[in-house]
Amino acid sequence: MQSDPKPVLHATGISKFFPGVIALDDVELQLYPGEVHALLGENGAGKSTLIKCLTGAYPRDAGVIMLDGAEINPKDPLSSQAAGIGTVYQEVNLLSNLSVAENLFLGRQPRRFGMIDQRRMLRDSKDILAQYGLSIDPAQLLSSYSIAIQQIVAIARAVELSGKVLILDEPTASLDREEVELMFSVIRRLTARGLAVVFITHFLDQVLAICDRATILRNGCVVGTRKLAEVTQTEIVTLMLGRQLEAATHHHERRETGDVLLSLRGFGKRGAIEPFDLDIHTGEVVGMAGLLGSGRTETCNAIFGAQPADQGEARLRGSPLRISTPREAIRNRIALCPEDRKTEGIVGDLSVRENIILSLQARQGWYRPLPRAKIEEIAQSYVKALDIRLANLDTPIRLLSGGNQQKALLARWLATEPQLLILDEPTRGIDVGAHAEIIALIERLRTQGMALLVASSEMEELVAYSTKIVVLRDRRQVGALTGDDISPNAIIRAIAAEEEPRA
Amino acid sequence: MKLMKTLLVSAAIAMPAAAFAENETVGFSQIGSESGWRAAETSVTKADAKERGITLKFADAQQKQENQIKALRGFIAQGVDAILLAPVVATGWDEVLGEAKDADIPVVLLDRKVDASDDLYLTAVTSDTVHEGTVAGDWLKDAVGDAQCNVVELQGTTGASVTIDRKKGFADAIASADNITIVRSQTGDFTRAQGKIVMESFIKAEGGGSDICALYAHNDDMALGAIQAIKEAGLKPGEDIKIVSIDSVPDMHLAISKGEANATVELTPDMAGPAFDALEAYWADGTQPEKWIQTDSTLFTQDDDNEAAYENKKALGY
Amino acid sequence: MIRSTLRRVTPQLIILALILALNMVMFPGFFHVEVHNGRLFGNLIDVLNRGAPVALLSVGMTLVIATRGIDLSVGAVMAISGAVAASVITGGASWIVAVLAALGAGALCGLWNGVLVAVLRIQPIVATLVLMVAGRGIAQLLTEGAILTFNDPGLVRLGGGTILSLPTPIWIWIGVAALVGLVVRRSALGLLIEATGINERSARLAGINARVLLIAVYLVAGLCAALAGVVVAADIRGADANNAGLWMELDAILAVVIGGTSLLGGRFSITASLLGALIIQSVNSAILMSGMAVEFNLVIKAVIIITILVIQSPRVRHWIYLLRASSGPGPMPRQPASRTPKIEEGRP
């Protein structure tokens, strides 16, 4: 497709530093007219930083941006838009209380005798929308249409204003299948007109369906640019995750597990996770693998009652279990250490001591306060056992490092003596030392007979501690690995498999 | 219970007027029923109309000028013989008063004036709030004679025109008496609670109350609060500290009858009486009344029959 | 525990002392207390006595604000409870029944607010605005627009009476504050409230029943307001639906803010809020004792309050700290170091 040798946009040497972090390191991106170019990478790989540098939302620290052969230097998103680069984000950033036509023409309404020419604005809006295959009434409020339509209106506005490069940042994240198709047809119309489209998404199948090429980022560096027709899905996933497939293998002997603790049948929540079956035994670590947005967190939340399941059944040690709130889960000695430590885990202004005993106290009820001495004993013992480093127990937990916060949260849940401990991304954003300690802790808890369900995007980690791994893709369980089958390679194959074995 | 009574009264009024009457119809646009005095004004007006054989059409505006304007337009459309208006605000009346004038319907303003040309209404019946203060001041002058007297003053809401007027009237009256001085003056917001609190501080600030000879309160409610403060300080209200205030609400008469207060100046709820007098003269032979009819500011002291006054006022719906 | 509370309320104590000193400068007899007919009598007693309504309100308000909420309706609830107490007592019931009925009305109002906030998830400021506006109307309906007076000695004693020479309202607010403070701090309620206020999502996921907790704090606020309403009505021996508790919710919020509890929720101190209430009352008292023209009342109050809040602002506190640190060898440097502890990254 890119037989045209001249790229419409060519960014070279783009670098961006944040205090202590290299967010982008000498990144190169070439866009050709008429192509859809995917920007891939796990969270934190630098995708959004790159977009922000290209649109001028962030000042870049190094690098040159050439648009149509001329250097541009966007100071802010408005100037990049004027130069020809339009951006549409996942959250529609239009004014939902204005009409579709007003949104399309906001700031540049056609005027007649000094007044806004409503009739012309509506007529022009109809013409523009027709180019996108939409025949809607532009006089209606934007909010009266679906998110998909609003997205397309946003795209139309961006294209009208800029017209050379269109950046779509996760435009399909909240759309259903048919709406995604509609979006794709719009994108195809645009590329047919010679626009270059940058497409950012976590959905690999969508990348394969619509994109021509992909640039893959990892840790702020470009690890490759590929024509999608020439690579396998496995190769892309490998590039994204950066795993040496041969290196790590499942080198543990087969582990003995105990009785079935939690048994799920047809368990699921509409719009979050499709029904699945799962058995978790005592003394077992069930790993959950999958790309971002594959449904790992949703599965954890459904079991814990944070987003209660609406179908299927659960049995705890054989007896039926109905969990609709975290309190019920906790009462049944199920614990969840959530993925987003800051907003769902820690209570920042409370002391480490209070954070550690919070769940235990909540389960006991407000009228049965833990004795001061008991609190001290619990907090001290976990600080020691988990090697939480702090000045003293009165320190507000928000002042601790990520790793120590995570350990304190683990202490909170261990203090409730759970029989099932669910860990959602337990090692994200923590330092190497704490990382190793948490993995060792998982192993230790397993040997003590606890059942654990661990969701992680760190494949080697999963391989290291899991006795069983379920693989999720597109909010569906697509595979299960046990015993000697467990290896990073097998995980990646399962994630990437087109329509492979269902669990 | 009181509600029941009001309902009965209004039912009586709604009945066809008695045979001996001229059977004129008058529309009355009342502000609302925000205070006991306002309720009394309404019931006095209704009773007075009934006695005179006038059919009264009553409209409660619930504190909104737009409701009053609507009511006035309704009265005009019904072709009433006159309109009584107790205006909720002073401005914005020109248009609707003009419409009444065009329809030859005389309008009488009750208890407040408006900012409009005076040929738009027949007359205004109001109390003279400066004069009320003067009556109170004159009473105090008589009561203390030549003795030295330190007065504390409980003002109404800061900046309200009633506050300014009642303060001025009292000050004017005692200006000639060198032996009477206002030593402390604070706002009590026209409320009982605040009247009590401020009086407490007056007592503390003036030698435990022994330096205070008299209290002048801009309304009875504040005076009633102050009486409690004086009692709690171990002093005898009405004796150790003379008390004069304005409004003549029932509870004040009770206090005077018990000797706990000395005098109150009546703000009469009977604004309608003079208004009907003026209207009847106008209907009879087109007599143009004065543009301002001032109601009497009657002084009640311990010499009057305050128990009767109490019963009387209670019956009016205070 | 007592020592940590003392450290927490030091700024409020200093401010209160300064304002009382100011009172004394203006009016030398300010601290004079004597016994009059078996009743302690003096300006200081007045501050404690007159501070009762706002102090009572601030107890409930502190808990509500700690959950990141606000209760604008407490002033109106005061009017309602006063009206209920007055109607019940004039209906011939005993004063105990009247007080219980008033408390019941307050509890009902609190429950209403709590359900709007916790169950229907309406923003607290909007949810309680409803009752703030409607509540006074309800009270006016109960009293039919007039001041409903009563003379029942039992009820009157709650406002104007004394126990052991001290005015009853002082006993009431100290008693309620002690009771609530004790329950909140001796049980785990305080911790759970603070956790909910700081991060409701984390708190729910940690198993805290945030919904019940939220309803409970609004209930307590309603009860405190009801008691304040009874005290105010008993004080003037009448329920004044138009004026009872008017704008008092703002004084209560101010008391909590002066007490240093953040409107963003979290850490709270009932003691500090009570000191805030006393500070406000001392300012009011200073204004009354000053004998200045009434036109200056609000301006003086505003200036004093603004000064207090500015001095308490983090930025100014920081400046003061810098000033003291640079102006010689004060015994200061250790304290701030311990206040913002440096956490060493554990990196083996």
Side-chain angles (χ1 to χ4, degrees):
Chain A
M1 189 158 226
Q2 60 278 21
S3 51
D4 187 343
K6 257 184 69 184
V8 56
L9 181 123
H10 191 178
T12 47
I14 305 290
S15 297
K16 175 74 193 170
F17 310 106
F18 291 117
V21 187
I22 302 172
L24 289 176
D25 187 6
D26 198 17
V27 168
E28 177 169 15
L29 181 67
Q30 279 192 331
L31 296 178
Y32 291 94
E35 76 161 337
V36 182
H37 193 111
L39 207 50
L40 300 176
E42 284 285 87
N43 255 16
K47 293 174 313 230
S48 46
T49 312
L50 176 58
I51 296 308
K52 284 179 173 151
C53 286
L54 290 180
T55 59
Y58 282 167
R60 61 188 186 280
D61 294 321
V64 178
I65 304 171
M66 306 284 282
L67 188 69
D68 269 349
E71 187 174 344
I72 61 164
N73 228 335
K75 293 273 172 294
D76 51 58
L78 277 181
S79 62
S80 66
Q81 185 172 287
I85 304 176
T87 314
V88 173
Y89 298 96
Q90 177 184 349
E91 299 85 22
V92 182
N93 50 353
L94 295 179
L95 301 165
S96 55
N97 56 344
L98 294 184
S99 73
V100 170
E102 283 165 328
N103 268 297
L104 279 173
F105 283 94
L106 191 68
R108 53 186 189 104
Q109 295 95 334
R111 288 183 185 272
R112 203 169 159 219
F113 313 125
M115 308 277 282
I116 292 173
D117 187 345
Q118 288 287 353
R119 286 209 351 236
R120 207 181 113 201
M121 194 164 85
L122 289 178
R123 201 176 56 229
D124 290 359
S125 298
K126 268 213 161 83
D127 291 348
I128 292 171
L129 293 173
Q131 297 169 29
Y132 295 84
L134 285 188
S135 56
I136 59 172
D137 178 5
Q140 295 296 315
L141 288 187
L142 184 68
S143 56
S144 59
Y145 294 105
S146 69
I147 297 288
I149 302 285
Q150 294 188 26
Q151 286 277 20
I152 292 169
V153 173
I155 290 173
R157 177 176 165 84
V159 170
E160 289 298 311
L161 287 173
S162 38
K164 288 174 186 164
V165 174
L166 177 65
I167 298 171
L168 302 174
D169 191 354
E170 298 212 40
T172 55
S174 45
L175 304 187
D176 65 26
R177 205 168 279 273
E178 279 166 35
E179 290 172 330
V180 170
E181 270 313 311
L182 180 67
M183 181 70 70
F184 283 180
S185 74
V186 165
I187 294 174
R188 288 194 192 97
R189 279 167 197 257
L190 290 173
T191 52
R193 279 162 54 179
L195 237 79
V197 176
V198 177
F199 189 71
I200 299 172
T201 185
H202 286 298
F203 298 112
L204 270 188
D205 49 346
Q206 291 182 8
V207 170
L208 293 171
I210 187 80
C211 297
D212 304 301
R213 294 194 308 149
T215 291
I216 299 119
L217 291 168
R218 196 174 68 234
N219 295 333
C221 301
V222 173
V223 291
T225 298
R226 297 284 187 277
K227 286 187 185 175
L228 288 166
E230 298 169 2
V231 291
T232 62
Q233 198 163 340
T234 312
E235 196 181 338
I236 294 172
V237 174
T238 311
L239 278 171
M240 280 171 68
L241 301 177
R243 295 293 160 202
Q244 296 302 316
L245 295 184
E246 295 72 31
T249 46
H250 186 63
H251 48 72
H252 294 277
E253 74 282 15
R254 202 180 167 80
R255 290 148 170 159
E256 283 306 310
T257 59
D259 306 331
V260 177
L261 176 73
L262 182 70
S263 166
L264 306 172
R265 291 289 174 272
F267 199 76
K269 178 174 170 60
R270 274 177 205 90
I273 179 77
E274 296 196 12
F276 63 92
D277 299 344
L278 182 65
D279 286 326
I280 305 177
H281 300 75
T282 56
E284 180 181 46
V285 176
V286 177
M288 235 189 314
L291 294 176
L292 261 174
S294 59
R296 291 178 319 210
T297 297
E298 287 79 357
T299 305
C300 296
N301 286 345
I303 297 173
F304 188 63
Q307 290 170 280
D310 54 10
Q311 45 201 318
E313 64 162 6
R315 284 176 175 276
L316 190 69
R317 293 190 191 277
S319 42
L321 178 68
R322 181 107 222 119
I323 291 178
S324 52
T325 65
R327 287 173 61 74
E328 286 167 16
I330 294 166
R331 220 174 291 139
N332 286 294
R333 295 185 38 222
I334 298 173
L336 166 70
C337 221
E339 176 183 18
D340 191 338
R341 204 162 43 230
K342 281 224 158 49
T343 64
E344 304 193 321
I346 63 168
V347 180
D349 284 341
L350 288 189
S351 69
V352 176
R353 179 194 295 113
E354 289 165 320
N355 267 283
I356 287 177
I357 57 109
L358 195 60
S359 286
L360 186 59
Q361 181 64 70
R363 190 175 64 190
Q364 284 230 19
W366 64 270
Y367 45 86
R368 280 172 51 203
L370 293 163
R372 197 159 290 272
K374 178 109 187 273
I375 292 177
E376 207 57 34
E377 182 201 317
I378 292 172
Q380 292 283 8
S381 67
Y382 280 107
V383 164
K384 204 162 149 239
L386 302 183
D387 193 19
I388 304 174
R389 281 154 223 199
L390 36 62
N392 62 57
L393 281 167
D394 290 323
T395 310
I397 196 169
R398 66 186 152 80
L399 297 177
L400 265 56
S401 71
N404 282 313
Q405 286 181 358
Q406 187 70 317
K407 287 197 240 168
L409 288 179
L410 281 169
R412 174 194 290 176
W413 290 113
L414 293 179
T416 66
E417 295 171 349
Q419 43 185 349
L420 172 62
L421 177 61
I422 306 169
L423 303 174
D424 193 1
E425 291 284 1
T427 58
R428 168 165 299 164
I430 66 179
D431 56 277
V432 183
H435 191 283
E437 286 167 18
I438 285 173
I439 290 174
L441 177 69
I442 292 173
E443 181 66 23
R444 197 161 77 229
L445 293 171
R446 184 189 68 75
T447 52
Q448 286 167 9
M450 195 184 283
L452 293 101
L453 176 64
V454 186
S456 176
S457 43
E458 301 282 331
M459 242 152 282
E460 277 159 11
E461 196 184 299
L462 282 174
V463 168
Y465 50 62
S466 302
T467 46
K468 177 165 83 185
I469 289 180
V470 291
V471 179
L472 279 69
R473 192 182 62 213
D474 296 339
R475 307 192 160 160
R476 216 169 46 223
Q477 268 195 26
V478 293
L481 307 167
T482 49
D484 294 337
D485 293 344
I486 296 177
S487 74
N489 249 335
I491 296 174
I492 290 171
R493 268 197 301 275
I495 292 176
E498 317 287 312
E499 270 302 315
E500 281 264 277
R502 289 222 191 165
Chain B
M1 301 138 266
K2 199 185 302 170
L3 204 63
M4 283 291 278
K5 198 188 295 170
T6 321
L7 285 175
L8 285 175
V9 171
S10 26
I13 291 184
M15 286 193 305
F20 63 83
E22 297 173 53
N23 212 359
E24 303 279 8
T25 302
V26 173
F28 177 24
S29 171
Q30 175 64 289
I31 294 178
S33 53
E34 74 277 9
S35 67
W37 182 85
R38 185 69 60 193
E41 183 190 39
T42 301
S43 59
V44 167
T45 306
K46 285 176 176 172
D48 202 353
K50 193 181 173 208
E51 203 168 286
R52 292 170 194 255
I54 294 171
T55 307
L56 192 74
K57 291 181 180 294
F58 179 74
D60 183 336
Q62 300 186 330
Q63 316 293 330
K64 288 206 178 99
Q65 185 181 30
E66 57 195 87
N67 289 348
Q68 292 205 295
I69 291 175
K70 263 186 234 157
L72 256 58
R73 295 220 162 102
F75 294 149
I76 295 166
Q78 294 164 38
V80 296
D81 301 298
I83 292 172
L84 302 182
L85 169 64
V88 65
V89 292
T91 53
W93 296 104
D94 303 66
E95 194 181 333
V96 70
L97 289 180
E99 290 166 24
K101 188 179 166 67
D102 292 343
D104 275 331
I105 298 174
V107 176
V108 179
L109 305 177
L110 295 189
D111 66 77
R112 290 185 196 178
K113 294 186 184 177
V114 299
D115 292 338
S117 162
D118 66 6
D119 60 350
L120 289 177
Y121 56 85
L122 184 70
T123 181
V125 182
T126 75
S127 161
D128 182 344
T129 39
V130 178
H131 180 62
E132 290 166 352
T134 312
V135 172
D138 287 340
W139 171 84
L140 187 66
K141 267 199 302 193
D142 287 347
V144 299
D146 292 333
Q148 183 60 36
C149 186
N150 289 344
V151 180
V152 293
E153 179 182 29
L154 282 170
Q155 301 184 27
T157 311
T158 310
S161 64
V162 190
T163 302
I164 295 166
D165 289 351
R166 288 181 175 172
K167 186 173 166 59
K168 180 178 183 301
F170 187 82
D172 288 351
I174 62 166
S176 58
D178 293 337
N179 56 326
I180 301 176
T181 39
I182 296 177
V183 290
R184 287 199 170 248
S185 181
Q186 252 298 343
T187 175
D189 286 332
F190 281 133
T191 70
R192 272 190 207 201
Q194 206 56 30
K196 181 173 182 185
I197 292 171
V198 175
M199 189 66 203
E200 277 177 2
S201 77
F202 284 168
I203 293 171
K204 306 283 176 344
E206 299 295 330
S210 56
D211 300 344
I212 303 171
C213 136
L215 161 70
Y216 165 51
H218 287 190
N219 78 349
D220 286 344
D221 274 329
M222 290 190 291
L224 288 164
I227 288 170
Q228 292 179 26
I230 294 167
K231 282 202 271 190
E232 284 170 18
L235 298 170
K236 287 202 173 67
E239 287 177 34
D240 297 333
I241 297 177
K242 293 183 175 52
I243 293 169
V244 56
S245 65
I246 300 172
D247 272 0
S248 132
V249 302
D251 286 348
M252 190 64 181
H253 287 293
L254 211 55
I256 296 174
S257 74
K258 285 195 252 171
E260 291 176 345
N262 303 81
T264 182
V265 180
E266 183 184 36
L267 168 64
T268 177
D270 184 17
M271 301 276 166
F276 286 138
D277 288 345
L279 280 172
E280 279 169 351
Y282 175 78
W283 287 327
D285 51 14
T287 312
Q288 285 287 340
E290 295 284 316
K291 278 296 165 189
W292 177 29
I293 301 171
Q294 184 187 333
T295 57
D296 293 335
S297 300
T298 318
L299 180 74
F300 284 85
T301 65
Q302 292 178 345
D303 301 333
D304 295 294
D305 184 352
N306 282 287
E307 277 169 34
Y310 170 78
E311 295 302 332
N312 188 15
K313 292 268 167 173
K314 268 292 187 202
L316 291 180
Y318 270 99
Chain C
M1 187 154 175
I2 290 177
R3 188 181 296 172
S4 68
T5 307
L6 220 58
R7 197 180 318 139
R8 162 71 175 76
V9 301
T10 308
Q12 285 76 29
L13 280 174
I14 293 173
I15 292 167
L16 184 59
L18 283 177
I19 294 188
L20 291 176
L22 184 79
N23 266 305
M24 179 142 117
V25 168
M26 279 191 314
F27 185 74
F30 187 81
F31 286 102
H32 182 73
V33 175
E34 58 186 0
V35 182
H36 255 245
N37 327 328
R39 178 190 177 90
L40 282 170
F41 185 87
N43 284 296
L44 216 50
I45 305 296
D46 278 2
V47 169
L48 292 172
N49 189 22
R50 290 298 161 208
V54 174
L56 280 169
L57 293 184
S58 73
V59 171
M61 190 68 81
T62 306
L63 299 184
V64 170
I65 286 180
T67 65
R68 211 177 185 144
I70 201 152
D71 189 346
L72 294 181
S73 73
V74 288
V77 173
M78 280 176 69
I80 292 178
S81 74
V84 167
S87 326
V88 171
I89 204 108
T90 50
S94 87
W95 68 273
I96 295 174
V97 176
V99 171
L100 288 178
L103 289 178
L108 221 57
C109 292
L111 214 58
W112 163 266
N113 284 331
V115 167
L116 289 190
V117 172
V119 181
L120 302 182
R121 309 298 298 170
I122 299 175
Q123 282 176 26
I125 197 166
V126 179
T128 56
L129 192 64
V130 175
L131 197 56
M132 178 190 182
V133 177
R136 204 159 285 285
I138 295 169
Q140 284 163 345
L141 276 178
L142 287 167
T143 61
E144 297 176 25
I147 297 179
L148 200 53
T149 55
F150 50 83
N151 268 310
D152 182 274
L155 190 55
V156 165
R157 201 182 312 130
L158 295 181
T162 60
I163 299 173
L164 300 178
S165 303
L166 207 58
T168 326
I170 303 182
W171 291 107
I172 293 178
W173 75 255
I174 291 179
V176 166
L179 180 75
V180 174
L182 219 63
V183 168
V184 161
R185 288 303 177 195
R186 287 287 148 139
S187 74
L189 214 49
L191 173 68
L192 303 185
I193 288 173
E194 287 179 342
T196 307
I198 296 165
N199 187 339
E200 191 180 330
R201 194 159 165 68
S202 287
R204 281 178 193 270
L205 287 173
I208 294 174
N209 198 343
R211 182 177 292 185
V212 169
L213 212 56
L214 283 175
I215 294 178
V217 296
Y218 284 94
L219 188 74
V220 171
L223 284 170
C224 287
L227 215 45
V230 170
V231 166
V232 163
D235 182 36
I236 61 164
R237 301 164 185 235
D240 186 349
N242 291 325
N243 299 303
L246 194 60
W247 306 126
M248 223 169 249
E249 58 279 345
L250 299 183
D251 271 353
I253 293 166
L254 189 62
V256 176
V257 169
I258 292 176
T261 298
S262 166
L263 286 179
L264 296 177
R267 293 292 194 193
F268 68 88
S269 163
I270 291 179
T271 315
S273 298
L274 293 174
L275 287 171
L278 293 182
I279 288 170
I280 294 172
Q281 192 52 42
S282 314
V283 172
N284 287 343
S285 154
I287 289 168
L288 289 180
M289 298 305 289
S290 70
M292 247 186 291
V294 293
E295 287 76 10
F296 292 103
N297 284 6
L298 297 176
V299 178
I300 295 170
K301 189 169 175 181
V303 168
I304 295 176
I305 299 291
I306 283 273
T307 312
I308 294 171
L309 295 180
V310 166
I311 290 172
Q312 285 197 339
S313 68
R315 188 60 63 87
V316 171
R317 274 199 201 175
H318 186 63
W319 287 340
I320 293 173
Y321 162 66
L322 290 180
L323 215 67
R324 288 171 67 175
S326 66
S327 72
M332 276 296 291
R334 275 180 59 207
Q335 218 220 342
S338 67
R339 197 175 288 168
T340 51
K342 286 228 160 54
I343 309 304
E344 295 300 324
E345 258 303 335
R347 226 174 249 277

